[in-house]
Amino acid sequence: MSSLKEICAGLPLDPLPPNRGRDPNVPHAPVRTPNLTPAEERLALRNALRYFPPSLHATLAAEFAQELRQYGHIYMYRFCPALRMRAYPIDQYPCRTRQAASIMLMIMNNLDPVVAQFPQELVTYGGNGQVFSNWAQFWLVFHYLSTMTEEQTLVMYSGHPLGLFPSLPSSPRCVITNGMVIPNYSSREEYEKMFAMGITMYGQMTAGSYCYIGPQGIVHGTMLTVLNAGRRYLGSDDLRGRVFVTSGLGGMSGAQAKAAVISGCVGVIAEVDEAPLKKRHEQGWLMEVTSDLSHCIKRIREARKTKAALSLGYHGNIVDLWECLYQEYKKTGELLVDLGSDQTSLHNPFSGGYYPVQLTIGQANQLMNTDPQRFKTLVHESLCRQVEAINNLSDAGMFFWDYGNAFLLEAQRAGAKVEKKGGGATEFKYPSYVQHIMGDIFSLGFGPFRWVCTSGDPADLAETDAIATAVLEEISSTVTERVRQQYSDNIRWIREAGKHKMVVGSQARILYSDQRGRVSIALAINQAIANGKVSAPVVISRDHHDVSGTDSPFRETSNVYDGSAFCADMAVQNFVGDAFRGATWVALHNGGGVGWGEVINGGFGLVLDGSEEAGQRARLMLNWDVSNGVARRCWSGNVNAYEAIESTMKDQRQLRVTMPNPVQEEHILDHALG
């Protein structure tokens, strides 16, 4: 087995490691169908061989060509390290800077088999959220990071390490871009070809930025979504005996089961793939599993009656579950579901992100490769059936929302009845959860702040939980009633976070907080490191799914109604602004959440090491990281954002934001436009 020192020594070329091929003991990505021309195949092979000296080309060309034709991409399985992938304690990485060691730790956590969806294909989550495009890139990145000084920056082009370039100690140690394709060429078809040729990559949100922390990363946001859905649609946040039906138990969607139980409701989650279903059950994230629809209905009735919190995994297709629930309603008049959504990976509907109800998973994986057009037709038929059942249940009183996974967008493209009469470009029959539930929370500046204890010691995580709790409790007494509700929800979360055993991979935590809370927590943790209460540096980051990080007209910015929902200035400014305000690394991606060409998102990582400089970086960068998006949302006309940025300007004398003057009398417009 390789050691960390060997991993950092560069590509193993003499001797070449044995080609063990695919490991049958881990899940694998579906076969891709890039439909390359002979000239494009030749170019893909030429591009892959660039990483190796000519003396090895004859040996490697044949196996790389076979991978390309068999799997639709050259992953370079021969170079998949034998070392157990996990987040090793930071002091074990042979680096010259702790910033570089922190990046290594985060990368290895993204590829940990207990975290990653398809570890050998370097996919962290979402079916195609890549950390790198191939294993040669992994080896080169680790070599560069191990030799890096504080006067160098590693530049990453869509998984490819362009190299180490001279920079300032105050500069980011790593700058990442993924999928930054010229807009007119950001189509799915072009992406499949470009990825197959090894020239671009889909980094999702936190896969290609090395900031994924397992399904915990979405649990808190999912819990807040379910709680606030109850408040909005059911008039109560007491969800005992209420039933929430959804689908998906993969990397991001795997959070739904845990979030449902923490919220106190009955969560029923359909999943066609047995591997993630078993993983979530073994990890304790899913309480029960059944493949029997009648048993599923029975357990729903029992849990509703006893008002017991339950997470039930249905091993089968979500379409069958929705149709069964509607048939049960028609037969008995009893509506067994209160809240509904969907978290299948519909940003990637034709390559394993969505499985049509007409096929088994095995049949689907085969057909998407052998007859992609027929497979696409079946996906569209399945989506239409799914929407019909949802529409019927909604007419009976269920409340459904789109979870920002492009479900309604793809259903519309399939011809399903999801149109909203008189709606705008980002509106459908059912709201995005941003439009009805989370948008106002974002506009107040709240979002998914995260931290990772690089010691790997659970005691450090417990200490940071206690620090965050104390900080929020202190701030809570000084805020407005509207903001206090959010603080109350988040204090409840962080007090109980340790009890729910959410750590998968690195010792990490997520906590929704606003600008003041994020800065205060970061500074308090940095002080605890300086005092020795926390034993090693802590990496802070966030999901890109936040107030400032992402321009996504069908998700994060779907409640921006001034016509700018399709503009990406905010995400790009976020990435650039974080870079020169102190981030340790920054990332900018095309794609993520709702799909390639549909979104631009930016993220960061920042190392807290207990130094005064780290505290200054955190204060400056985190204030900007939130205010950027609040100011943009204020300008678009959001009242919550107006109040939030107005309050922030009072606290920060150097902050000056252009405030909108809304039109108060609509008849003026009527008269002018006659």
Side-chain angles (χ1 to χ4, degrees), residues 109 112-116 212-216 279-280 283 285 501-508:
N109 186 66
D112 185 336
V114 305
V115 173
Y212 190 64
I213 60 169
Q216 178 191 178
K279 180 189 281 191
R280 299 298 168 229
Q283 290 171 345
W285 284 62
K501 299 179 181 178
M502 291 179 292
V503 170
V504 177
S506 60
Q507 292 293 318

Side-chain angles (χ1 to χ4, degrees), residues 55-74:
S55 59
L56 296 176
H57 287 183
T59 301
L60 297 175
E63 69 186 59
F64 288 174
Q66 182 181 0
E67 283 186 20
L68 181 62
R69 288 175 169 170
Q70 189 170 354
Y71 305 120
H73 186 74
I74 300 171

Side-chain angles (χ1 to χ4, degrees), residues 150-165:
E150 292 187 3
E151 294 184 333
Q152 291 173 302
T153 293
L154 176 60
V155 176
M156 298 294 302
Y157 275 27
S158 289
H160 170 66
L162 194 67
L164 290 176
F165 291 80

Side-chain angles (χ1 to χ4, degrees), residues 93 163 206 357 454 459 463 502 622 651:
Y93 292 94
T206 50
V357 66
T454 66
E463 179 64 24
M502 291 179 292
L622 290 173
D651 293 337

Side-chain angles (χ1 to χ4, degrees), residues 54-268:
S55 59
L56 296 176
H57 287 183
T59 301
L60 297 175
E63 69 186 59
F64 288 174
Q66 182 181 0
E67 283 186 20
L68 181 62
R69 288 175 169 170
Q70 189 170 354
Y71 305 120
H73 186 74
I74 300 171
Y75 296 105
M76 305 183 187
Y77 289 113
R78 177 191 288 270
F79 295 96
C80 183
L83 177 69
R84 164 74 166 87
M85 284 286 172
R86 69 179 182 87
Y88 291 88
I90 189 171
D91 290 337
Q92 294 185 24
Y93 292 94
C95 294
R96 300 170 72 178
T97 77
R98 283 197 152 186
Q99 291 95 326
S102 296
I103 297 170
M104 284 185 173
L105 181 153
M106 300 290 279
I107 290 172
M108 292 193 79
N109 186 66
N110 267 26
L111 293 171
D112 185 336
V114 305
V115 173
Q117 185 180 16
F118 305 125
Q120 278 205 303
E121 288 76 42
L122 302 119
V123 172
T124 301
Y125 67 93
N128 60 352
Q130 305 283 149
V131 183
F132 303 115
S133 179
N134 60 57
W135 284 105
Q137 294 171 350
F138 171 91
W139 287 89
L140 287 174
V141 165
F142 269 60
H143 178 63
Y144 281 135
L145 289 172
S146 69
T147 62
M148 171 190 288
T149 71
E150 292 187 3
E151 294 184 333
Q152 291 173 302
T153 293
L154 176 60
V155 176
M156 298 294 302
Y157 275 27
S158 289
H160 170 66
L162 194 67
L164 290 176
F165 291 80
S167 61
L168 298 170
S170 59
S171 303
R173 297 281 70 84
C174 185
V175 175
I176 305 161
T177 52
N178 283 311
M180 299 311 294
V181 171
I182 292 168
N184 277 356
Y185 298 89
S186 287
S187 68
R188 284 192 185 125
E189 294 74 16
E190 292 290 345
Y191 168 70
E192 289 297 339
K193 287 197 171 194
M194 290 182 190
F195 181 62
M197 289 190 287
I199 54 175
T200 198
M201 189 182 87
Y202 188 77
Q204 263 283 1
M205 289 187 156
T206 50
S209 65
Y210 322 145
C211 290
Y212 190 64
I213 60 169
Q216 178 191 178
I218 197 84
V219 172
H220 188 20
T222 307
M223 184 203 79
L224 289 175
T225 301
V226 174
L227 276 179
N228 284 294
R231 289 170 182 148
R232 180 177 182 107
Y233 301 130
L234 306 177
S236 173
D237 57 10
D238 181 358
L239 298 181
R240 290 175 298 172
R242 299 291 199 166
V243 179
F244 171 47
V245 173
T246 182
S247 60
L249 284 166
M252 298 298 279
S253 55
Q256 296 182 106
K258 179 71 78 173
V261 171
I262 296 173
S263 303
C265 68
V266 179
V268 185

Side-chain angles (χ1 to χ4, degrees), residues 252-322:
M252 298 298 279
S253 55
Q256 296 182 106
K258 179 71 78 173
V261 171
I262 296 173
S263 303
C265 68
V266 179
V268 185
I269 306 97
E271 172 58 65
V272 294
D273 190 348
E274 190 176 17
L277 193 78
K278 287 177 65 176
K279 180 189 281 191
R280 299 298 168 229
H281 190 240
E282 289 165 2
Q283 290 171 345
W285 284 62
L286 187 63
M287 293 165 66
E288 298 179 17
V289 174
T290 183
S291 57
D292 185 337
L293 280 171
S294 60
H295 180 72
C296 198
I297 298 297
K298 178 185 175 187
R299 289 296 290 127
I300 290 173
R301 283 203 167 96
E302 290 170 351
R304 287 181 79 211
K305 186 176 181 179
T306 61
K307 295 191 174 181
L310 172 68
S311 56
L312 174 63
Y314 167 60
H315 183 205
N317 197 291
I318 183 61
V319 181
D320 287 328
L321 179 57
W322 283 125

